Amino acid sequence: MNDSREPASVELSDDGLARRAKALACTAPLQALDENKGSLRWVKADVYQLAEIALHTIDQVTVSMDFDSGANQQRVLDQVTRFVALQAPERTAEEHRKVARHVLQRLINVGTVDRSFTEKIGSIDRSGVYRRYDFQFNLLVERAGPDGKIYLRASDEAINVLVGALDTDVESAQIAAEVKLESLIRRGRIAEAKLAAEQARYRTVQYGEMLRQLLDATSRDIRAVDWEHEVPKLLADALIHIEERYDFEHRILSNISDLRDRSDEPLRKRQAAELVTIVRDCIRRHMQLQQRLLTAGTLFREEQDRQQFAELPVRAVLDLHGQLLTPALGLPLGDALAVGEEFFRGASGVGPPAVLELSGLVSRLLRLAPERDRLGEEIPEPDLTDTTEKPVFSLEDWAATDALLDLRDTPRQLSDLLTEAERTAPSAAALLLHRAVNAFNPQVGESIARGDPRVLVGVATGDRFDLPHFGGDGLLLHSAPIVSPPDASDAPGSEPSLPEDLSDE
């Protein structure tokens, strides 16, 4: 017998492996949230399951998406914050909001240039060679709505993260989900039917998102979409699909309503009511999608007329960071220099020559050289400025504060002294405060070395004062004499000290 088996290299190629690798790559940003939560300095995130919060965020955005506009970011944050609060009810509401915003920003990938995730995956081609390449994808994107506001939209990869598949035919997956839903309802398994209904709704959103992107691409450039063969067939299949789904979902809705009305258990009635809401939302989305499909031909003709008579597009501006700097940094030095020289040669433009004609060149060559001054040009006189620093406080300020701080008889409050200084010598008030603060911890040793007879001492009173220009803790100030021990002449090495009453304080 002849061995008709294909070579081993062909058997190794597996499209399913590449699809599963992509599905695994789409979950990497969610797993990284929990892996890196220990590095968050603004919150102790060990009690939060950030991957679950991310799934809930994608769920809320997907359900809130509409054909024309996406999900309102503030509303999504409010809904996700309530879910975060269930994980850590003892934490504050402000922290719950910050955690929800952190997860949302990580799903949008805020902080990157193109806001897309990149994962290294590999696959085996038909020749049996294993190749690695970058798989770029988005989970949540920000898009402008018809009203000019910014909305959130979930990408196909984000929806596939929810339903656990990737690159699945949308129509086939939705038909399978609805058949499964009808079977579960017929057997009375409401909890599983709710999960199947949610998956069917995700597929409905994904189908609408695919058609919305097609119409958006048409609005930008009709040449980017095949309106001769591909799009008409897609629109016809979509209309047939919507008609079948409309009848199918109405039958499901009737069965659920009967099950809800016949059930006596409160839990089953509540589950059936939630299931009714989900199926009605699917019907609403299908009706909205049908309206857009019916107007797709009109949109194509309008865009064809508009773009046919539009002006030629302006050349796109060069992205210096993404298209020049980042690739150049990854090159060897010799190659990077060649790229830089070529860019600056083209960016600087052509410089006009100094001489435009031959006659001008001859006249310049025959021109006599100008006379030069042997002594050179005159040296200008330098403009010198006085850099001597002036004292901050004048002698009058020091004399005024000396008079106020001569507290030989009775101590006084700092607030009273500042009030009197502002009345008699306003410029000395700041100096008075400065000397009072130094008196709180006086350098007695330095005063003794200078031979001062008295030293200013400040004691905290525990009160506070508030003046028009000053404020703070209250101080009781007193000018204490420096006395020597009785046997100062007989005790070598003895030093003067403060009186006992003040030293105790």
Side-chain angles (χ1 to χ4, degrees), residues 64-366:
S64 303
M65 280 169 51
D66 208 344
F67 196 91
D68 294 323
S69 60
N72 184 276
Q73 184 167 341
Q74 296 302 322
R75 190 175 302 171
V76 171
L77 276 177
D78 294 339
Q79 295 169 344
V80 176
T81 300
R82 290 195 289 268
F83 179 76
V84 176
L86 296 177
Q87 292 190 356
E90 70 279 359
R91 302 290 179 87
T92 61
E94 181 181 1
E95 180 177 307
H96 297 155
R97 186 82 174 183
K98 288 183 178 180
V99 172
R101 182 179 289 106
H102 168 72
V103 173
L104 179 60
Q105 290 179 349
R106 296 281 70 77
L107 292 176
I108 301 175
N109 204 11
V110 174
T112 58
V113 177
D114 54 357
R115 294 196 172 183
S116 61
F117 299 95
T118 303
E119 293 292 333
K120 286 282 188 182
I121 63 175
S123 63
I124 304 174
D125 58 15
R126 291 294 178 182
S127 60
V129 179
Y130 182 82
R131 302 182 184 276
R132 293 183 177 87
Y133 61 94
D134 291 336
F135 173 52
Q136 290 189 341
F137 61 95
N138 296 91
L139 294 178
L140 297 182
V141 294
E142 294 177 312
R143 293 288 182 266
D147 53 357
K149 297 181 180 179
I150 302 300
Y151 294 95
L152 294 175
R153 303 195 74 91
S155 64
D156 290 341
E157 291 82 5
I159 299 176
N160 283 317
V161 167
L162 282 175
V163 298
L166 188 68
D167 292 340
T168 307
D169 179 64
V170 179
E171 183 176 358
S172 302
Q174 186 170 10
I175 294 174
E178 290 178 347
V179 171
K180 178 182 178 181
L181 175 61
E182 185 182 31
S183 174
L184 292 172
I185 293 173
R186 190 165 52 247
R187 287 181 290 168
R189 301 170 67 174
I190 302 298
E192 298 180 17
K194 179 184 176 183
L195 179 60
E198 289 176 346
Q199 293 181 352
R201 179 167 62 178
Y202 296 146
R203 289 304 179 187
T204 300
V205 174
Q206 191 174 12
Y207 200 86
E209 184 68 10
M210 180 180 64
L211 292 174
R212 185 194 66 81
Q213 294 176 2
L214 186 66
L215 297 179
D216 285 348
T218 302
S219 300
R220 291 190 296 270
D221 186 4
I222 59 174
R223 295 170 297 181
V225 184
D226 182 11
W227 276 90
E228 185 176 0
H229 301 97
E230 180 183 356
V231 177
K233 182 179 181 302
L234 180 63
L235 297 179
D237 294 342
L239 286 172
I240 296 174
H241 165 81
I242 290 176
E243 183 180 359
E244 294 176 352
R245 302 280 71 73
Y246 186 78
D247 296 337
F248 195 87
E249 288 167 354
H250 271 80
R251 292 199 305 270
I252 293 175
L253 185 61
S254 177
N255 293 334
I256 299 173
S257 301
D258 294 341
L259 183 62
R260 178 193 59 189
D261 297 338
R262 287 187 283 102
S263 178
D264 296 331
E265 300 179 9
L267 179 59
R268 290 176 64 84
K269 290 181 71 69
R270 182 174 61 83
Q271 292 176 340
E274 294 175 353
L275 200 54
V276 168
T277 303
I278 296 175
V279 175
R280 283 178 177 172
D281 184 57
C282 290
I283 295 174
R284 180 188 64 82
R285 293 178 183 274
H286 278 137
M287 294 177 65
Q288 188 181 39
L289 185 59
Q290 182 185 23
Q291 182 181 3
R292 279 309 182 101
L293 289 171
L294 294 175
T295 59
T298 304
L299 174 66
F300 166 70
R301 289 188 291 272
E302 291 177 353
E303 291 298 328
Q304 187 179 32
D305 294 339
R306 182 183 67 84
Q307 297 179 23
Q308 183 177 2
F309 299 102
E311 297 180 359
L312 294 177
V314 181
R315 186 175 180 180
V317 180
L318 177 65
D319 182 9
L320 294 179
H321 183 274
Q323 295 178 313
L324 179 64
L325 179 60
T326 303
L329 291 177
L331 295 175
L333 184 58
D335 298 339
L337 287 175
V339 173
E341 291 175 356
E342 188 67 25
F343 167 74
F344 285 107
R345 185 181 298 110
S348 59
V350 179
V355 179
L356 300 178
E357 299 177 354
L358 181 60
S359 59
L361 177 61
V362 173
S363 63
R364 292 192 63 175
L365 292 175
L366 298 178

Side-chain angles (χ1 to χ4, degrees), residues 453-470:
R454 307 183 71 85
V455 62
L456 184 65
V457 180
V459 180
T461 61
D463 300 330
R464 295 183 64 84
F465 66 92
D466 186 10
L467 299 178
H469 299 93
F470 303 99

